[in-house]
Amino acid sequence: MSEANQLWVIVDDIPDRRRRYRIRDRLRFAGTVIRPGVVEIVTTPTRMERLLRDISGLLGPDDNLRIYRICENCRQVTTIFGPGELSAQTCTRFWIASESCRIISLI
């Protein structure tokens, strides 16, 4: 049985320019850039875990990366001001972390 795709929002605060570019390149390939430092990714939990393992090896001691899983209930009550929509495309390229609405932080 295949896993269902879920929506994830990843926010970064990475002071080192070189590390920031390396991490953001991986995130940009995996999802949709909303603004610098904020990416929406639609993928399965297994693929998200792989992406996070890959990225965690690049993080430095001063870096902050936050991953938010947006459950279906949360998606339904999300309000967006301005142009754009929540990412909803089916993505089979990439990679998740939790079954509940909670924040996962890699610092």
Side-chain angles (χ1 to χ4, degrees):
M1 183 168 87
S2 65
E3 294 179 285
N5 284 332
Q6 297 177 1
L7 174 63
W8 301 84
V9 176
I10 300 180
V11 181
D12 74 65
D13 179 15
I14 302 171
D16 182 79
R17 184 175 53 105
R18 186 177 179 136
R19 275 197 315 272
R20 182 173 57 244
Y21 288 147
R22 292 179 72 195
I23 291 169
R24 286 184 181 175
D25 279 346
R26 285 169 172 77
L27 295 174
R28 182 177 53 234
F29 181 72
T32 303
V33 176
I34 303 306
R35 56 171 289 126
V38 181
V39 178
E40 289 180 353
I41 299 175
V42 177
T43 191
T44 67
T46 301
R47 289 181 174 169
M48 181 59 83
E49 287 174 10
R50 286 186 215 149
L51 177 63
L52 296 178
R53 273 196 308 268
D54 179 43
I55 289 174
S56 67
L58 302 174
L59 292 171
D62 297 329
D63 297 341
N64 189 328
L65 186 70
R66 294 175 183 236
I67 299 95
Y68 303 88
R69 185 183 69 88
I70 310 298
C71 70
E72 192 56 39
N73 291 334
C74 296
R75 285 176 62 106
Q76 292 175 11
V77 296
T78 299
T79 302
I80 298 175
F81 294 96
E85 299 177 359
L86 284 175
S87 296
Q89 78 276 9
T90 301
C91 175
T92 56
R93 294 180 296 173
F94 270 84
W95 311 323
I96 271 182
S98 162
E99 289 301 317
S100 63
C101 295
R102 66 186 181 116
I103 300 169
I104 299 169
S105 297
L106 299 173
I107 299 174

